[in-house]
Amino acid sequence: MFIALFTYQQVSQFESIHLLTIFICILCFFLIPYFGKKLTSDRQRTVSILLAIIGISEEILDYSNRIYFRDLNWHEDLPLHICNYVFYIGIIYMLTKKQFLFEILYLLGLGAAFITIITPEFKMLNALEYVLFFLAHGLIVVFALWGIFVDHKRPGKLSVAKVYIFLWIMVFPVGLVSWVTGGNYMFLMQAPEVSNPLVFGNWPWYIFNVSFIGLFIMTIAYLPFKFIVTLKK
């Protein structure tokens, strides 16, 4: 069983193991916030810290796995993809409960992580990296849903604009790092190799296409809370 974690036959999108992974993720998305709501506030705080610790442990194990099986390098291993840094933001949110961190996590992270779970790049090093990849992306969604249903957080009035500006601010330093290292962080240099109808067009136009689709998704995610506020008035 232990050896099996380090042997791996590359998975294809929507084959049985991927479908099972999606099912397990979705089950966790429902069950963790559902049972979290039933806890006392003290226990909710304890579980928040525990989830953050699981996230930190995932990163330590992930990088240990990479170091053991191949050398780390500047063009692949910096945590500069959207889901990488939103994952760290999610861990910090679970410990601090800061409003802007929640808004990034919910408006940007939830959609990005869920789409990645459905249409990942299957370039895992071994079975352990496969598990850790989906654990990290699943935790982003769990963190966001925990914020909504357990912490009762809501995106603020200008949250979509703030998060969208934050995303574009990140493009410039990440793009520079990608150019210097030869990396492809945030997929700014080359489109990801995924079967995803939302990713289309040649460079650099696919970046703008994905950006506008992301803005649309963030707006859709914000609207239910806008309607709730309107109805209360």
Side-chain angles (χ1 to χ4, degrees), residues 102 106-107 148-149 152-156 219-232:
F102 163 75
Y106 171 64
L107 294 173
I148 295 168
F149 295 108
H152 304 291
K153 291 285 188 180
R154 300 293 182 261
T219 303
I220 294 298
Y222 170 75
L223 284 178
F225 299 100
K226 173 66 174 177
F227 290 147
I228 290 171
V229 171
T230 302
L231 289 173
K232 286 182 177 179

Side-chain angles (χ1 to χ4, degrees), residues 65-181:
N65 183 49
R66 297 187 209 185
I67 291 168
Y68 186 81
F69 285 97
R70 64 168 174 81
D71 293 331
L72 295 180
N73 58 72
W74 294 106
H75 67 273
E76 279 185 299
D77 296 313
L78 296 176
L80 295 178
H81 284 297
I82 290 174
C83 287
N84 291 144
Y85 57 76
V86 171
F87 180 63
Y88 293 147
I89 288 171
I91 291 172
I92 297 170
Y93 165 74
M94 295 298 282
L95 298 173
T96 66
K97 308 300 182 179
K98 297 294 185 182
Q99 175 66 21
F100 184 53
L101 300 184
F102 163 75
E103 290 171 348
I104 295 172
L105 183 61
Y106 171 64
L107 294 173
L108 178 58
L110 190 150
F114 188 76
I115 289 170
T116 302
I117 288 169
I118 302 299
T119 62
E121 271 197 311
F122 287 105
K123 293 182 177 180
M124 289 75 175
L125 185 65
N126 50 34
L128 179 59
E129 186 174 14
Y130 178 93
V131 172
L132 295 174
F133 175 90
F134 285 99
L135 174 61
H137 288 82
L139 279 173
I140 293 172
V141 178
V142 168
F143 293 160
L145 295 177
W146 187 275
I148 295 168
F149 295 108
V150 180
D151 297 333
H152 304 291
K153 291 285 188 180
R154 300 293 182 261
K157 186 175 182 180
L158 298 176
S159 56
V160 173
K162 290 189 294 184
V163 172
Y164 193 64
I165 291 169
F166 165 80
L167 179 62
W168 272 104
I169 289 172
M170 290 297 296
V171 164
F172 296 100
V174 172
L176 179 60
V177 171
S178 296
W179 180 71
V180 170
T181 63

